[in-house]
Amino acid sequence: MTATPTNTQRPRPPVPIDGKTLRSVCGLFVTGVTVITSGGGERAAGTTVNSFTSVSLDPPLVLFCLHQASRLRALVEESGAYTVNFLAGRQEPLAWAFAGRHTATLQDVEHRYSAVGVPVLSQAMAFLSCRLVNAFEGGDHTIFVGEVAELGVPRADTEPLIFFRGSMGSLEDEPRGPHPMFDS
């Protein structure tokens, strides 16, 4: 016998999702803050990213996403490598310095080069230096998957920098005010 769907079981017609609302809802998911670095020499660059996740332990794969118009996209593709630099709570100014279209240069920040030839920020809490394995188009972003070739945790005793409700801060910070869209 087949059950007849009730009003609560019938699928609703799709409703267009507003990008601003989607961003606000996704902002309720706490993420870490990273600076992705790539390239070499005078062409080395970095950008602030919170769309990072581990994918696999065997092989050791991680991914992050960049907007199609990102200035770092071509460098990652050309060099075939990148570093994910995990920022500490006290590094919010560094995150903002690499967040805009016209950002800090790597020459302004203490760094070294990894085994795969891409920059590692010397003051990062931890890092994963990766060889690019694949790139996938994902709407207005590119999803970069890399195999971890080198890693380190030079500052394991520090709190991470986090992103929540459109703001950055450390875990030690006082909670920020209510979100205007959801807490009325």
Side-chain angles (χ1 to χ4, degrees), residues 23-31 50 92 96 162-169 176 179:
R23 178 178 283 204
S24 293
V25 171
C26 288
L28 297 173
F29 183 71
V30 178
T31 65
N50 71 333
E92 184 175 345
W96 285 116
I162 61 170
F163 186 76
F164 178 66
R165 289 187 172 170
S167 298
M168 285 190 258
R176 305 196 194 258
H179 192 283

Side-chain angles (χ1 to χ4, degrees), residues 17-161:
I17 302 297
D18 172 65
K20 189 174 180 180
T21 303
L22 177 61
R23 178 178 283 204
S24 293
V25 171
C26 288
L28 297 173
F29 183 71
V30 178
T31 65
V33 180
T34 69
V35 170
I36 305 295
T37 51
S38 191
E42 290 184 18
R43 291 205 59 219
T47 193
T48 302
V49 167
N50 71 333
S51 59
F52 162 81
T53 191
S54 68
V55 175
S56 169
L57 296 176
D58 187 18
L61 301 175
V62 298
L63 71 75
F64 76 97
C65 303
L66 279 180
H67 193 275
Q68 294 284 350
S70 172
R71 67 199 177 299
L72 194 67
R73 184 173 177 234
L75 280 177
V76 172
E77 290 170 344
E78 289 168 18
S79 69
Y82 60 87
T83 298
V84 181
N85 297 277
F86 299 179
L87 298 188
R90 62 181 167 67
Q91 293 182 297
E92 184 175 345
L94 181 67
W96 285 116
F98 281 101
R101 291 219 182 270
H102 303 290
T103 67
T105 65
L106 281 174
Q107 290 73 21
D108 299 334
V109 180
E110 189 179 332
H111 66 282
R112 67 172 181 80
Y113 284 87
S114 72
V116 296
V118 290
V120 175
L121 302 181
S122 299
Q123 299 301 312
M125 182 175 73
F127 73 92
L128 303 169
S129 191
C130 306
R131 287 185 191 89
L132 184 61
V133 172
N134 216 330
F136 304 93
E137 300 307 312
D140 59 0
H141 281 66
T142 300
I143 304 160
F144 291 100
V145 178
E147 183 169 2
V148 178
E150 182 183 352
L151 52 80
V153 187
R155 297 193 174 28
D157 58 342
T158 61
E159 292 290 324
L161 182 60

